[in-house]
Amino acid sequence: FGETLDRHGRLRAGLAKHMRDALPGATYLGFTGTPIESNDKSTRSVFGDYIDVYDLTRAVEDGATVKIFYESRLAKIDLSDDDLAALDEPVLTTLAQGRSDLLTGFLTAVTGAAGTTVLPLVVLGAALVWGLVRERWWQAGLLAGAMVVSTLVSVTLKRVVARPRPPVDMMTGAGIEESYSFPSGHTIGAATLLLVAGYLVWVARPSVRSAVGWGVGVVVGVLLVGISRLYLGYHFVTDVVASMALAVAVLGGVVVLDRRRAARAARVRPG
């Protein structure tokens, strides 16, 4: 029922408060199949104690449902090297057969932009703009921290998985790469940058337009980098897909940290 102060200094309240204000003398009854009990939300604190509870045990006794038995287990899924090859090799072969000088030159430039020379400079520039020019060091730190985490994850997994690269005769464009293949460092770096930077821009001024722009930018940018790594023969499909998933996980961590900070700031009232 309380009001919260958002980052723009506006007070916001939920529907429950507006209902209480509009109907101060009303009696409120709540029907729920999933009562909430947490630090800041509680079904019982809002509606009072339970009048009646109809749980699964009573439903079984009444014959409304059959007995439910739970078996705790994990389904084991094991993909062999042959299974992965069946996914990866047809794509690499098809892309290699469709190479052209123009496309090779373009995608070599794309993969170079997402490499270990250009991408760190882009991240440094973006962080400095956020920090020095816009005086938003929290956002600068989040972006830099996310890139460091994604790099550490990539380097660690490469050493742990130790998956060899595609055959050397499949590689073209920017030379031969001999490090391990899984995951794709170029893809996870570019995806993390686009996801986190886009989120920080969008959350500062949320709108449908900025959300659409963020989504389109991420999809186009990540696909270009991922396809360039496949087209040039440096990675397998599973390397690229896993890198995208890892970048999304890094974004999730950033969102959690940023939202917790915003929630703490909202509880600090003026005066």
Side-chain angles (χ1 to χ4, degrees):
F1 294 103
E3 296 176 320
T4 58
L5 188 67
D6 65 16
R7 63 175 61 233
H8 302 294
R10 295 172 297 195
L11 288 174
R12 295 183 179 276
L15 177 62
K17 183 179 186 306
H18 296 312
M19 290 179 62
R20 292 279 186 176
D21 293 341
L23 304 169
T27 299
Y28 293 88
L29 295 176
F31 297 87
T32 177
T34 54
I36 300 173
E37 294 291 343
S38 62
N39 293 332
D40 60 341
K41 296 180 179 66
S42 173
T43 301
R44 295 176 69 180
S45 67
V46 173
F47 293 97
D49 207 354
Y50 299 126
I51 298 174
D52 184 64
V53 176
Y54 190 82
D55 56 17
L56 185 60
T57 301
R58 289 181 58 184
V60 172
E61 292 173 351
D62 293 343
T65 185
V66 297
K67 289 185 178 181
I68 297 178
F69 298 92
Y70 298 94
E71 180 182 357
S72 179
R73 63 173 182 152
L74 293 175
K76 185 178 180 180
I77 300 176
D78 186 15
L79 292 176
S80 66
D81 292 340
D82 291 337
D83 295 327
L84 293 176
L87 295 172
D88 293 324
E89 290 180 359
V91 175
L92 291 182
T93 302
T94 301
L95 290 175
Q97 292 173 347
R99 286 172 180 165
S100 66
D101 292 341
L102 180 62
L103 193 55
T104 298
F106 171 69
L107 292 179
T108 299
V110 170
T111 207
T116 55
T117 300
V118 177
L119 194 65
L121 295 177
V122 175
V123 175
L124 178 61
L128 289 177
V129 168
W130 253 309
L132 294 176
V133 178
R134 306 189 67 180
E135 297 183 348
R136 294 182 177 180
W137 288 105
W138 169 254
Q139 287 80 357
L142 279 179
L143 178 61
M147 297 303 298
V148 169
V149 169
S150 68
T151 301
L152 291 176
V153 169
S154 177
V155 171
T156 301
L157 285 177
K158 282 180 182 292
R159 293 180 178 178
V160 172
V161 178
R163 185 185 194 185
R165 296 263 182 181
V168 173
D169 57 3
M170 295 287 290
M171 299 181 185
T172 186
I176 296 174
E177 295 188 11
E178 298 179 347
S179 60
Y180 290 124
S181 184
F182 183 93
S184 167
H186 287 67
T187 306
I188 191 175
T192 300
L193 172 61
L194 293 172
L195 285 169
V196 174
Y199 163 75
L200 294 174
V201 170
W202 171 79
V203 79
R205 292 184 177 180
S207 68
V208 174
R209 182 177 180 181
S210 62
V212 171
W214 173 27
V216 171
V218 168
V219 171
V220 173
V222 174
L223 283 180
L224 272 177
V225 174
I227 290 173
S228 75
R229 303 304 288 168
L230 297 174
Y231 175 90
L232 298 174
Y234 294 126
H235 283 286
F236 299 103
V237 176
T238 44
D239 301 337
V240 172
V241 173
S243 300
M244 295 176 183
L246 290 170
V248 172
V250 173
L251 173 65
V254 169
V255 173
V256 169
L257 289 175
D258 188 51
R259 292 297 85 203
R260 285 185 175 179
R261 179 177 181 270
R264 287 196 299 269
R267 288 196 292 267
V268 179
R269 302 294 180 85

